Amino acid sequence: MEYNKRISGDEYLYKTVSGVTKISCAYKCSVEKNCCVANFDANSQTCYLDMSGGCYSAPRHENSWITIRRAREDSFNWGPWSKCSKTCEGGIRTRSHLHANVAGNVTSVEGCHNFGCNDIALNCNGWKTKGLLDSQTALIEPMASNGIQLQAVHIYCDMEMENGVGVTVIDHDGERDVSVHGYEAQGSYSFIVTYNIPFEYVVAIINSSQFCRQFVRWKCKGAQMYNPGNQKWNTYWTNRSTAYLAINEYKPPSVFFHGSEERRICDCGISQTCHRSDVLCNCDINDGIWRSDEGYVTNKDALPIVAFFAGDTGSAQEEGKHFIGPIECYGDA
């Protein structure tokens, strides 16, 4: 962007040759050492940079102008920051507030995402340290348990959850309600989870993170989860430790639907909030009414969920739906 420069009183006037935007005007003020106020006239596409240090008044201000401020930001009640104008290699972001002393929209501006487009971090927490502010896909190189650095892979970093610490999100093909019907025998239905990165990467991210969780839910209608007759589960999920048994073997269920403990019990059974006091899972009521058992698994050793098995859905009145959420990890182990 080119500017013509002339002095008019106590302010510098920068006028674009080919037209200027609000963003480029804000950027010009952000890189000028002495600029504390930029005034932008959208009608004439003119940018005025105030170098006087006043920062509270807007000389020659018109109603159509937008005032962009840098200094004394603590005196305003600011709205949320905008997304960074660039995903990498330096951009700007803005936030606005209407101030009583200045007509028009008051905007604060700062630089953001000052890292290279090919930069790599260990995880999304590392990207937070690098200065990533907005949720986006980024390159990470997780460390395997044997100390070998895995090759870089793209992963989604959520920078809004958990107060923006940088949550590594691992997606898969089961993040939807999947209907199950016509499978009567215990665990006769199976859904194998396919993650969007190689399995060794999933395990490496979980092992190297301080905290991980994964949501799982089973909606049921007349589909009993636990069979008290043979003391086995009709419906359950398995983790990385129980996934590799022969297909015709009964697979012992992992922690079902809740917490960090190795307990084969549903969330309502742990909190004693099931719809009936004599069951450990809502679906064990088995009364033909749509019910649900769900919760977050937070035991890292029981993650990731690799498969979901179901049964007792063989009759016309029996049905179920399973949903498995993404893995969400943050912090360094």
Side-chain angles (χ1 to χ4, degrees):
M1 185 66 65
E2 296 182 0
Y3 291 84
N4 291 330
K5 176 179 177 181
R6 67 180 176 84
I7 298 177
S8 175
D10 292 331
E11 60 178 311
Y12 289 93
L13 172 64
Y14 289 81
K15 186 174 182 180
T16 181
V17 174
S18 57
V20 67
T21 66
K22 172 186 173 182
I23 294 298
S24 60
C25 182
Y27 180 76
K28 187 65 178 176
C29 186
S30 71
V31 298
E32 288 284 346
K33 181 178 180 181
N34 296 321
C35 178
C36 63
V37 174
N39 299 302
F40 173 65
D41 181 8
N43 292 335
S44 63
Q45 294 185 314
T46 303
C47 182
Y48 299 90
L49 302 186
D50 182 358
M51 305 294 194
S52 66
C55 295
Y56 281 105
S57 62
R60 300 168 55 184
H61 195 282
E62 303 292 341
N63 289 334
S64 64
W65 291 11
I66 297 172
T67 299
I68 304 164
R69 294 180 177 272
R70 292 182 64 197
R72 301 298 298 273
E73 294 184 353
D74 58 333
S75 64
F76 300 102
N77 293 319
W78 293 100
W81 285 106
S82 69
K83 297 290 186 181
C84 190
S85 61
K86 297 180 66 177
T87 58
C88 55
E89 295 186 344
I92 62 169
R93 63 176 187 165
T94 61
R95 57 180 178 173
S96 300
H97 179 65
L98 190 65
H99 190 263
N101 293 337
V102 179
N105 187 24
V106 180
T107 304
S108 172
V109 61
E110 70 175 16
C112 52
H113 291 178
N114 295 308
F115 45 77
C117 292
N118 295 320
D119 281 7
I120 299 173
L122 182 66
N123 50 32
C124 293
N125 186 57
W127 272 108
K128 171 68 174 180
T129 303
K130 283 180 174 290
L132 179 62
L133 299 171
D134 300 332
S135 299
Q136 64 184 51
T137 300
L139 275 173
I140 65 168
E141 280 184 338
M143 184 77 70
S145 57
N146 58 5
I148 296 178
Q149 192 92 47
L150 301 177
Q151 291 184 348
V153 65
H154 284 95
I155 202 74
Y156 184 75
C157 293
D158 191 305
M159 310 307 293
E160 298 176 4
M161 287 193 296
E162 303 300 329
N163 297 317
V165 298
V167 178
T168 304
V169 180
I170 308 172
D171 290 303
H172 58 81
D173 61 346
E175 297 175 34
R176 65 190 191 281
D177 277 326
V178 180
S179 295
V180 181
H181 178 68
Y183 297 86
E184 185 62 26
Q186 294 166 339
S188 55
Y189 165 86
S190 63
F191 180 90
I192 309 302
V193 181
T194 302
Y195 289 92
N196 64 349
I197 58 175
F199 191 76
E200 61 178 327
Y201 284 73
V202 176
V203 174
I205 292 171
I206 292 172
N207 290 344
S208 62
S209 299
Q210 180 182 10
F211 179 86
C212 291
R213 66 188 175 212
Q214 189 168 17
F215 181 80
V216 58
R217 178 179 64 220
W218 173 246
K219 294 180 180 178
C220 56
K221 185 177 71 171
Q224 189 180 41
M225 289 176 58
Y226 181 73
N227 187 332
N230 60 14
Q231 297 183 341
K232 290 186 177 181
W233 291 78
N234 294 315
T235 299
Y236 52 91
W237 57 267
T238 57
N239 62 21
R240 50 176 142 160
S241 300
T242 59
Y244 304 107
L245 299 176
I247 193 65
N248 59 349
E249 292 184 25
Y250 175 75
K251 299 170 180 60
S254 302
V255 185
F256 209 99
F257 297 145
H258 183 87
S260 59
E261 301 178 45
E262 286 286 354
R263 301 178 65 184
R264 292 172 176 83
I265 186 173
C266 294
D267 183 65
C268 71
I270 293 176
S271 60
Q272 297 183 341
T273 57
C274 294
H275 297 161
R276 213 170 68 192
S277 60
D278 61 333
V279 297
L280 297 178
C281 296
N282 285 320
C283 288
D284 288 344
I285 297 175
N286 200 24
D287 57 358
I289 297 174
W290 276 107
R291 300 186 184 276
S292 177
D293 285 296
E294 61 188 56
Y296 278 96
V297 182
T298 58
N299 179 3
K300 293 201 306 176
D301 292 334
L303 293 174
I305 295 173
V306 299
F308 194 97
F309 297 86
D312 196 28
T313 63
S315 73
Q317 295 77 31
E318 297 172 334
E319 186 180 356
K321 297 179 182 179
H322 65 77
F323 177 93
I324 304 170
I327 300 170
E328 300 166 348
C329 296
Y330 59 90
D332 294 324

